[in-house]
Amino acid sequence: MFMPRNGFGTFGRLRIAVVIVTGLVICFWAVRSPFAQNHSDEMVLHENSTLFGESAFRSESAFRSGSAFHGGSITHGELISRSKMVTIGKLDSSGESVSSGDLVSGLSSEDSEAVGHIKEHGIFVSDPGDLDPLIQRASERTLVLLGEASHGTSEYYTWRSKISRRLIEEHGFDFVIVEADWTLAYPVNLHVKHLDVNPVDSRGALASFQRWPRWMWGNEEVLELITWMHEHNRNLPLEQRSGFYGLDIYAYNEGIEDVVSFLEDVDSDAALTARRYYSCFDRHPDAQSYLQMVHRSREHCGEDLEAIYGLMAENREAYESADSIGFVGAYQSARMVIFAERHLRGNLQRGPQSWNHRVEHFFDAASGMLERYGDGARGIVWAHNTHIGDARATDMGNAGMNNIGQIAREELGDEEVYAIGFGTGKGEVLAGRRWEGEMERMTVPQAASGSYEDLMLQSGISPLLLLFDDPDEHMPLMEPRGNRAIGVVYQPEQDAVQNYVNTVMPKRYNAFLFFEETKALTPLE
């Protein structure tokens, strides 16, 4: 166990690599949020981001919520070096993408072969019953990873809900864990399990998601799933009720309060210790201030945060006996705060460290739930394609970036993980044009020519299911191509050149669901 030594003055030592560019410059690989990015998979090196300047850190309000660091030094939108970026699709003289319909007659032989392969192997799926081949395969795995190509598309949510419901109802899956903050999602878990102290309806339960972008989890599509889970669990024994949890780390201040509040109820002396050691971290008014301290002193609060988790772990049996429901939330919150601090501090280093610390918590939270539910437990993850598809099958791997898709396979084994990607040919999406900007209903242009989505669009099958049981049986799809990825900040006019991840699809996913045209989420009023 990590034991506290000398109060909040006890810091772990860290040598921080900094780069001097016209004075002191920190090379953030984009402090912008992965939500806020276009998920373009261009590894943009922000050589001109000045230390703690507005250009690097956005606004004070963003820091107070932690959102300025959403996604860390490398974001969804920054995975392929600008210097070697492969332009996806053909561009006309104005730089706009030429629609795939205008290029059908000019298909390369490789593209024609790929379209023919999709027509031969694609499965038309019009309703949940058509998903039987997918459900059969997924039901045999420990962790099923359900992706999305944006955070604002209705079909991704509704079809993930259909798959999740069938896995829970027909195959006894234990929980859904989503790309939402752990601490903010936990009250929703208490609601669906009928464990909330002050019961509310499902709409009220989703009120815990107040941060931008609220539409990501505060929408009618998620409400439908939560309502179903609540009803499904109503008459089941507690140990058979399916749970709803969060993977993410940005509500770390709420996580600290969660831990301290729990300890105040079960161990007042430990609560005082926790407040003292957490003050090393939360005494700073915002993330910017904390990083300034780390930069100046070359000291950090990692050991202090680990000490509180050590205290929780050492007293686990007693604390869980005192309040088993509260302990689950507080225990993972204590772990989450550790990953959050590492993630923030990683912004001071060149490379993928910040990104990797965040996604390490994704797997930590999911595997923690598997452990908690016991032998034979199985879970369902909802996260962006950039997280659930194996990073090694994209240019992310070349940059040293991990994701839950890769880590889960490495830790659990390939045969225990099933990853399903999602994509669209065109449609609408909810997004903003800047971080914390006004939500807009935007048009998603037709897929860039030569991308996987373009080939699927030309197959004429929609909704389309592709199963990649053996990647070697899909050689026409093994050439690296663009796979669309949209964040919560999106510029549709730049879609063809900024929003595609260089991908080998049969190795990135176990299956892929494609829709010719999609509509935007319906946000809660």
Side-chain angles (χ1 to χ4, degrees):
M1 145 178 177
F2 297 94
M3 289 298 296
R5 292 180 290 181
N6 298 311
F8 70 78
T10 302
F11 298 104
R13 293 287 178 179
L14 172 69
R15 292 191 178 275
I16 302 171
V18 297
V19 178
I20 307 298
V21 179
T22 315
L24 185 59
V25 175
I26 289 196
C27 292
F28 288 105
W29 289 58
V31 269
R32 294 170 293 175
S33 163
F35 292 143
Q37 287 306 312
N38 293 323
H39 295 69
S40 61
D41 281 50
E42 301 167 20
M43 195 167 292
V44 181
L45 188 61
H46 287 271
E47 299 287 359
N48 296 319
S49 295
T50 55
L51 180 60
F52 313 125
E54 179 65 23
S55 61
F57 290 105
R58 300 183 178 266
S59 66
E60 181 72 12
S61 62
F63 280 117
R64 292 192 180 279
S65 67
S67 61
F69 299 93
H70 223 100
S73 301
I74 301 179
T75 72
H76 287 182
E78 301 173 336
L79 311 178
I80 301 175
S81 169
R82 250 188 220 281
S83 64
K84 63 184 182 67
M85 183 178 71
V86 178
T87 300
I88 302 302
K90 299 178 176 62
L91 305 179
D92 63 18
S93 58
S94 67
E96 295 296 320
S97 175
V98 180
S99 71
S100 56
D102 295 333
L103 295 168
V104 173
S105 60
L107 279 178
S108 68
S109 59
E110 291 84 359
D111 287 359
S112 295
E113 183 182 7
V115 171
H117 184 84
I118 293 171
K119 289 180 178 180
E120 179 181 355
H121 294 274
I123 302 170
F124 172 67
V125 287
S126 61
D127 60 56
D130 295 331
L131 293 172
D132 286 352
L134 182 71
I135 298 298
Q136 177 186 351
R137 289 163 171 79
S139 68
E140 299 169 353
R141 309 298 177 97
T142 298
L143 209 57
V144 176
L145 312 179
L146 303 181
E148 59 181 358
S150 83
H151 294 305
T153 299
S154 179
E155 283 77 3
Y156 304 152
Y157 285 70
T158 56
W159 282 74
R160 288 189 297 185
S161 180
K162 293 172 184 178
I163 294 169
S164 300
R165 289 173 58 168
R166 289 195 59 182
L167 291 174
I168 292 169
E169 195 167 27
E170 299 173 18
H171 298 281
F173 272 64
D174 297 291
F175 61 87
V176 177
I177 187 164
V178 305
E179 194 181 337
D181 288 308
W182 165 266
T183 310
L184 304 185
Y186 197 67
V188 182
N189 172 65
L190 299 182
H191 168 73
V192 300
K193 285 189 164 186
H194 299 265
L195 296 174
D196 38 349
V197 176
N198 299 304
V200 295
D201 61 14
S202 294
R203 186 178 294 269
L206 292 177
S208 61
F209 297 116
Q210 292 296 317
R211 294 184 177 204
W212 190 93
R214 290 182 61 185
W215 72 82
M216 188 171 167
W217 300 111
N219 58 68
E220 294 289 346
E221 289 82 353
V222 170
L223 175 60
E224 183 178 354
L225 173 65
I226 296 305
T227 301
W228 178 85
M229 293 181 72
H230 185 264
E231 291 305 311
H232 175 74
N233 286 334
R234 183 179 296 279
N235 298 315
L236 293 176
L238 179 58
E239 65 273 11
Q240 295 180 20
R241 299 176 194 172
S242 53
F244 183 92
Y245 305 96
L247 297 162
D248 229 330
I249 62 174
Y250 292 103
Y252 50 84
N253 286 323
E254 292 88 340
I256 288 172
E257 287 304 313
D258 187 33
V259 174
V260 173
S261 177
F262 171 80
L263 290 175
E264 286 175 341
D265 289 338
V266 301
D267 187 344
S268 58
D269 289 340
L272 292 174
T273 299
R275 282 216 179 271
R276 186 168 68 252
Y277 282 87
Y278 276 140
S279 68
C280 171
F281 187 48
D282 67 6
R283 65 192 172 97
H284 301 280
D286 49 50
Q288 177 181 2
S289 174
Y290 177 66
L291 289 184
Q292 286 176 324
M293 182 277 292
V294 173
H295 167 66
R296 287 194 304 265
S297 68
R298 301 192 177 212
E299 297 178 327
H300 62 86
C301 298
E303 287 186 5
D304 297 79
L305 306 184
E306 290 171 355
I308 302 308
Y309 167 68
L311 186 153
M312 295 282 289
E314 183 179 34
N315 295 282
R316 178 171 182 164
E317 184 175 350
Y319 290 169
E320 197 161 6
S321 295
D323 180 2
S324 60
I325 296 171
F327 179 79
V328 174
Y331 184 79
Q332 189 62 40
S333 285
R335 293 186 61 81
M336 178 271 291
V337 172
I338 294 170
F339 285 94
E341 187 276 336
R342 293 173 183 170
H343 164 71
L344 294 184
R345 183 161 30 101
N347 282 287
L348 297 178
Q349 298 174 289
R350 181 186 183 116
Q353 291 88 344
S354 183
W355 166 280
N356 287 343
H357 288 313
R358 177 179 177 231
V359 299
E360 285 162 4
H361 182 265
F362 281 23
F363 181 73
D364 186 81
S367 60
M369 289 301 99
L370 290 174
E371 179 184 356
R372 176 155 295 280
Y373 278 87
D375 291 342
R378 292 174 294 172
I380 304 162
V381 171
W382 285 29
H384 198 278
N385 288 346
T386 318
H387 289 301
I388 66 95
D390 195 322
R392 294 169 295 184
T394 74
D395 279 353
M396 295 170 66
N398 297 333
M401 300 170 68
N402 294 326
N403 61 15
I404 192 173
Q406 175 181 340
I407 299 171
R409 287 177 172 86
E410 292 173 340
E411 296 295 324
L412 302 177
D414 288 345
E415 297 307 312
E416 296 301 321
V417 180
Y418 201 81
I420 305 168
F422 287 72
T424 185
K426 58 184 178 181
E428 292 184 327
V429 67
L430 293 186
R433 289 191 172 271
R434 60 179 178 83
W435 181 250
E436 294 188 339
E438 182 179 354
M439 178 189 73
E440 297 182 30
R441 186 180 302 271
M442 301 183 185
T443 297
V444 177
Q446 190 158 305
S449 62
S451 65
Y452 280 109
E453 288 81 358
D454 175 47
L455 302 182
M456 294 177 192
L457 194 61
Q458 294 189 51
S459 76
I461 306 172
S462 178
L464 164 71
L465 171 64
L466 282 169
L467 301 170
F468 302 124
D469 296 339
D470 181 356
D472 291 338
E473 294 180 356
H474 298 277
M475 293 307 296
L477 302 181
M478 293 286 279
E479 175 188 356
R481 295 177 177 273
N483 185 192
R484 178 139 57 187
I486 295 171
V488 292
V489 168
Y490 180 49
Q491 287 82 35
E493 61 275 7
Q494 298 297 320
D495 180 88
V497 294
Q498 289 190 353
N499 289 92
Y500 289 83
V501 180
N502 210 29
T503 296
V504 178
M505 183 171 283
K507 291 186 175 181
R508 187 179 184 187
Y509 311 108
N510 298 101
F512 195 83
L513 271 167
F514 171 80
F515 307 90
E516 177 183 0
E517 186 168 3
T518 50
K519 60 183 180 293
L521 286 171
T522 304
L524 295 177
E525 297 295 335

